[in-house]
Amino acid sequence: MKLLSVARDLKRRRARERQTRFLAEGVRTVEELLRSPVHANGALVSPTLAVTPRGAALLASVRATGMPMLEVDEKDFASASSTDSPQGILVVAEIPHRDPTQLALGDHARVLVLDGIQDPGNVGTLLRTAAAFGVDATLAMPDTVDLWNAKVVRSAMGALFRHQVLACDWQALDVLRDAHRVQCWAADASGEPIDRTPDRRAIALVVGNEGAGLSVEARGRADRRVAIPIASDVESLNVAVAAGILLYQLRP
């Protein structure tokens, strides 16, 4: 039952940070995990999984990997699950180690910087969007929700497993700016309207907290503030929606 105890423990952020492991839950998420380089330690399975053909196929795939697997009843599975309607599959996996000084960034790199984003669903969508638009890396600054929170993992739909993403501090961004000549652009409603003119420089786009906006640290580092022109009677856009529009505009 050790795997069950580990899974229950990893619902807590402190446990994830201490063990450098996380939980991947749900059919789609585990399918993406198995196709990625992320190392899985073991799987927790309930009878619900094999009810559908897709679930049965995933069960066969998990068995084929040879990873430890524990089959439990629905009640025990629910004690480790973070969803209202569990799909019967949960995998314990290792959080990839990524060093900001070793990120693979080209001359025209695009980096997304999350400045205190608190909503897990927003963060997962931001990671998925960054991967979709070819962003080279995403940095999560202090006060941003844990990147390996169960809801972030589900919302990212596999982006966490392949996209270069890491939690760090502002000094790490400073290192990237110096090493790769990265310009820091901050999303700000009072900034200059952004257009689709391709910019060949390396750019880090900072998006701020859903309510408070940009932090003092972000404002102090901004080489330029950019905004999306919107209707005058609309106050703002959701941070994930805004970031998607800006990242589309910033494609090199």
Side-chain angles (χ1 to χ4, degrees), residues 47-185:
T48 300
L49 180 62
V51 169
T52 66
R54 185 175 178 182
L58 178 57
L59 179 59
S61 296
V62 170
R63 284 178 173 150
T65 67
M67 77 171 78
M69 188 176 76
L70 177 64
E71 298 186 53
V72 298
D73 60 29
E74 304 295 354
K75 182 178 179 181
D76 279 340
F77 190 90
S79 70
S81 172
S82 298
T83 65
D84 294 330
S85 301
Q87 296 179 343
I89 179 72
L90 187 156
V91 170
V92 174
E94 296 179 8
I95 295 175
H97 173 71
R98 294 176 176 127
D99 187 328
T101 64
Q102 297 175 351
L103 290 176
L105 298 179
D107 293 337
H108 314 305
R110 295 293 182 264
V111 177
L112 178 63
V113 181
L114 310 182
D115 179 20
I117 307 298
Q118 288 291 302
D119 182 81
N122 279 340
V123 170
T125 302
L126 283 160
L127 295 175
R128 185 180 174 194
T129 302
F133 289 130
V135 171
D136 298 87
T138 297
L139 309 182
M141 293 300 153
D143 297 324
T144 294
V145 69
D146 178 22
L147 294 174
W148 301 97
N149 171 293
K151 187 172 182 180
V152 174
V153 176
R154 290 195 304 274
S155 300
M157 298 184 69
L160 264 170
F161 309 146
R162 298 180 181 84
H163 181 55
Q164 294 187 106
V165 54
L166 69 157
C168 56
D169 56 24
W170 289 101
Q171 285 66 43
L173 178 59
D174 294 338
V175 170
L176 291 185
R177 294 179 70 192
D178 293 339
H180 299 278
R181 298 180 182 178
V182 176
Q183 283 221 341
C184 185
W185 289 17

